[in-house]
Amino acid sequence: MSRTDEERLMAHEYDGIREYDNPLPGWWKGIFVLSIVWAIGYWLYFHGGPGKLPKAQFDADWKSYTVWKAEAEKKVTFVASEESLARLAADPATIEQGKKVFATNCVACHTENGRGNIGANLTDDYQIHGTTRLDIYNTIHDGVPEKGMISWGPTLHPKDLAAVAAYVSTLRNTNVPDGKAHEGAHVDPFPR
Ligand code: HEC
């Protein structure tokens, strides 16, 4: 015989509130127990076993990413054309990079601002080899060994070579003071 509601009430009472002794449903207890079992397994695997915690996992991923990136960058080939060089010449980040490459490799002969010394004046509106941005790129790439201009194709990273060529093309017609005397043929400024 089932008990009445009155009989099911527990003995205590707080502020007029009384309660039944209802058991928790089976599914609820099941999840509770499972979560404890899961936590033990998780702890053993990640804190004592082969599992990687987020920081360690991130470090491992980052390491393999940097290795991958270095490999991928080696494969980057820049297709030099008048258009691609003009695009780079309009990109401030590339010009910054080109400036750095220039400061490291070119100032010994062309001076820090490109006015020329052993190397040609890069800031006037005269050019010895060709007239275009692509001609500048090719001169830097192949050099002019018999005149003392090194060929940079084999030593510079393709991106650095493209950046420095783009940068040099922006120097044309800036006519910095005390420049080396004009050499070559007169050239028009690049459209900006
Ligand atoms: C060892 C000295 C030396 C270094 C270093 C050097 N150059 Fe030159 N460069 C020269 C000489 C000399 C010439 C002139 C070649 C000629 O008369 O045909 C020249 C010419 C050039 C020209 C062609 C100019 C024209 O009027 O056609 C460009 C562009 C140039 N250099 C860019 C660079 C860049 C960029 C670097 C650095 C990556 C560099 N050079 C490093 C000596 C050098």
Side-chain angles (χ1 to χ4, degrees):
M1 210 175 80
S2 64
R3 298 182 298 165
T4 64
D5 285 351
E6 195 58 36
E7 282 164 349
R8 289 175 57 219
L9 275 174
M10 295 178 78
H12 53 250
E13 173 186 335
Y14 301 103
D15 296 337
I17 297 169
R18 305 191 60 192
E19 60 178 341
Y20 299 140
D21 184 14
N22 283 332
L24 286 162
W27 62 262
W28 195 99
K29 283 191 235 167
I31 290 174
F32 181 65
V33 171
L34 271 180
S35 68
I36 292 170
V37 173
W38 176 266
I40 292 169
Y42 183 96
W43 192 86
L44 288 176
Y45 183 76
F46 282 102
H47 292 264
K52 287 200 181 84
L53 290 168
K55 172 81 170 80
Q57 181 70 54
F58 175 82
D59 288 346
D61 288 351
W62 183 256
K63 210 172 146 205
S64 64
Y65 165 75
T66 45
V67 171
W68 169 85
K69 188 163 171 262
E71 283 303 310
E73 274 181 356
K74 274 190 216 147
K75 292 191 204 120
V76 170
T77 45
F78 173 73
V79 184
S81 70
E82 207 52 28
E83 293 72 33
S84 62
L85 287 166
R87 245 192 331 272
L88 289 184
D91 173 41
T94 304
I95 295 308
E96 272 312 302
Q97 190 191 348
K99 255 187 214 170
K100 281 195 200 123
V101 178
F102 193 84
T104 313
N105 302 290
C106 321
V107 293
C109 298
H110 290 280
T111 77
E112 74 290 346
N113 61 10
R115 67 180 182 277
N117 178 12
I118 301 164
N121 185 346
L122 303 173
T123 70
D124 57 8
D125 47 358
Y126 285 78
Q127 195 161 317
I128 309 167
H129 302 282
T131 59
T132 64
R133 285 190 168 97
L134 191 56
D135 292 325
I136 292 175
Y137 177 90
N138 287 334
T139 306
I140 300 168
H141 187 281
D142 302 334
V144 192
E146 66 279 11
K147 295 287 185 64
M149 167 65 185
I150 299 157
S151 110
W152 293 94
T155 36
L156 284 185
H157 188 285
K159 270 171 109 177
D160 287 343
L161 204 144
V164 79
Y167 169 65
V168 166
S169 79
T170 65
L171 298 179
R172 181 194 276 185
N173 213 22
T174 54
N175 295 305
V176 300
D178 304 325
K180 193 179 178 186
H182 302 320
E183 293 172 277
H186 181 265
V187 284
D188 293 326
F190 292 118
R192 286 183 193 266

